[in-house]
Amino acid sequence: MQNVTILGSTGSIGVSTLDVIARHPDRFAIYALTAHSKVEELARQCLQHRPQVAVVGTAEAASSLSKILKEQGSKTAVEYGRDALCAAASAAECHAVMAAIVGAAGLAPTLAAARAGKKVLLANKEALVMSGRLFMDAVAANGAVLMPIDSEHNAIFQCLPAHYDRRPDAHGVQKIILTASSGPFLRRAVESLNDVTPEEAVAHPKWVMGRKISVDSATMMNKGLEVIEAHWLFGAPADKIDVLIHPQSVVHSMVSYADGSVLAQMGNPDMRTPIAHALAFPERMASGVAPIDLPKIGQLVFEQPDFERFPCLRLAYDALKAGGSAPTILNAANEVAVQAFLDGRMGFRMIDRLIARVMDKLPHEAVDSIAAVMDKDAGARRLANESINELMPA
Ligand code: NAD
Ligand code: MG
């Protein structure tokens, strides 16, 4: 029996994880569930899945949750705040942690899970992009097991040799090929992109996801963050990681080898597949996802990405090549830009311009501690917020 903590259980990944776990009550129990502010939804989840602990963002949210749970006779202990999140991720009773908080807020508890030597199921790519080598070092130093949940990275994991040790050349790996659906604006006239609304940007043609990652998919910053994520997970330099547009989202990614073989992982676009894979690994178990109907799909289409249409993809490659604090700055500026776009404070094309401005203005320095990462993150957020007004047309 494995006890699982789900960080961000009310989000899209969190809900899919609970769906998979509920199919296997003989194998998994929930140790802790966490949510930022959706108290009623978290209460429903607690009553159904009966975790030992539930964590929310604030004291007020905690007291509302406690009240609902007490009325229903629930024994779940309610806590709040960052330290409680880290405790839920590192408790001795918990074996595996699904890291599914969105953005930089997920770094501390995800790192706490790695430091406690847990099986870490990593959906929260921003945490790895921000802290790169420091995070991977924490995994290695504490014997944690890191399983990629991002569908592309989970696909690559499945296409790599079983004992892959993060040295592509030693295993004859020539390229890691990340596929990208490229979101809703693949064919839309570039001149009209600044006029798109938040609702158009989050309407992903293939995947149902949280709002932040949906906007990242529309700018292709999501793929950019995934290039950086792949670099850390698989030890591949930027020039060994390619991106291919594949609007159907059937092939989730590929690995190309020295002998000319290309291995691909395919499936319906449903996150329950990578979640079930990572939970059961090295075994396989049912996820609730139907097999793909290849005759119905008929043809698979691939094309090169257009870096003019999607400048964020180029910015992410640049940040990876620059190294040091550059990916931290990229991620922080992107989080501020996406939120400003979602709040209606600036247009869609301002996202890449704002990130480029912050990347240009801040020095890219070595970071040798998590405190230094948080400092770079805070500096980039400050500058991004200040720059919004400067960049807006009068
Ligand atoms: P979401 O917005 O649906 O859910 C986010 C979760 O994080 C919620 O439970 C929310 O309560 C919690 N949260 C938000 N802010 C928080 C804060 N400040 N402190 C504590 N908790 C907070 O997001 P999602 O789509 O589920 O994505 C989660 C992560 O997984 C992201 O990093 C995303 O990039 C990654 N991911 C998602 C998908 C997908 O299909 N949704 C696919 C690949 C990777
Ligand atoms: Mg992905």
Side-chain angles (χ1 to χ4, degrees), residues 55-76:
V55 183
V56 286
T58 60
E60 299 77 60
S63 89
S64 320
L65 179 64
S66 290
K67 190 163 169 277
I68 305 175
L69 291 183
K70 274 209 186 91
E71 281 166 8
Q72 301 291 327
S74 159
K75 292 200 178 71
T76 299

Side-chain angles (χ1 to χ4, degrees), residues 125 150-153 213 222-223 226:
K125 67 194 86 184
D150 218 341
S151 57
E152 296 77 2
H153 305 74
I213 184 178
N222 182 50
K223 210 50 52 182
E226 289 181 359

Side-chain angles (χ1 to χ4, degrees), residues 63-133:
S63 89
S64 320
L65 179 64
S66 290
K67 190 163 169 277
I68 305 175
L69 291 183
K70 274 209 186 91
E71 281 166 8
Q72 301 291 327
S74 159
K75 292 200 178 71
T76 299
V78 175
E79 288 163 20
Y80 68 92
R82 207 178 78 155
D83 291 350
L85 278 181
C86 292
S90 56
E93 301 94 311
C94 145
H95 305 115
V97 176
M98 169 57 78
I101 289 175
V102 59
L107 176 61
T110 307
L111 196 61
R115 286 177 174 156
K118 303 299 181 197
K119 178 172 178 179
V120 181
L121 313 173
L122 185 75
N124 180 204
K125 67 194 86 184
E126 296 93 342
L128 182 57
V129 168
M130 288 173 75
S131 64
R133 184 178 306 286

